Amino acid sequence: MRFMLMHRVQEDDNASWEPNPELVERMNAFVGKLTADGVMLGAEGVQKVGAVVRRRGTAIRSVDGPFAEAKEVVGGFLLINAKDLAEATAIAEEYITCFAGVEEMSVEVRQVVEFEDIEPYLTK
């Protein structure tokens, strides 16, 4: 099963958005370990600047982001293979330790929807 691990940081914490050499070293080691274990599918950080597109009823509105209504924002993600949610969560617990200098953050673990999951709902 594929899982996305999204790390969330405080939008106004500049240290969360400026990687330091120690963080880069820890992340490289962690990603190297996951790659060697055959778990890693992809990993990226994201920039602080972005946009949000919202739909309420039929009205669509775009605003500068990342997320004007939230304090925590996605700072990056890993895409991994894991046998189940428990294994993905254990990997997330190790992943969060890479951010030793970040005061407050979280890692959200979400299973990716596979084609087989939606195939029964497709009209043929």
Side-chain angles (χ1 to χ4, degrees):
M1 290 182 250
R2 292 183 304 155
F3 289 86
M4 179 174 277
L5 313 181
M6 294 173 284
H7 73 268
R8 296 182 178 272
V9 296
Q10 300 299 308
E11 182 180 10
D12 60 354
D13 179 13
N14 289 333
S16 297
W17 296 97
E18 298 169 6
N20 59 59
E22 294 82 17
L23 171 61
V24 172
E25 186 176 316
R26 287 189 300 270
M27 285 299 292
N28 284 341
F30 182 64
V31 167
K33 175 186 176 291
L34 294 181
T35 301
D37 291 345
V39 173
M40 178 61 67
L41 297 173
E44 300 292 338
V46 297
Q47 296 291 335
K48 189 175 183 178
V49 177
V52 177
V53 177
R54 286 193 175 90
R55 185 184 67 162
R56 290 193 172 108
T58 58
I60 296 174
R61 185 175 72 125
S62 300
V63 295
D64 289 341
F67 302 98
E69 297 177 8
K71 183 170 95 164
E72 266 190 349
V73 295
V74 174
F77 68 90
L78 299 177
L79 186 61
I80 62 167
N81 268 323
K83 67 180 179 188
D84 55 25
L85 179 60
E87 182 180 38
T89 302
I91 292 169
E93 289 173 357
E94 188 176 355
Y95 176 43
I96 204 167
T97 66
C98 292
F99 300 89
V102 177
E103 195 64 27
E104 188 177 337
M105 70 173 301
S106 63
V107 174
E108 184 175 341
V109 180
R110 303 287 300 271
Q111 186 174 347
V112 174
V113 175
E114 304 292 353
F115 178 75
E116 297 80 31
D117 298 330
I118 62 169
E119 188 175 23
Y121 301 99
L122 300 176
T123 56
K124 297 185 183 195

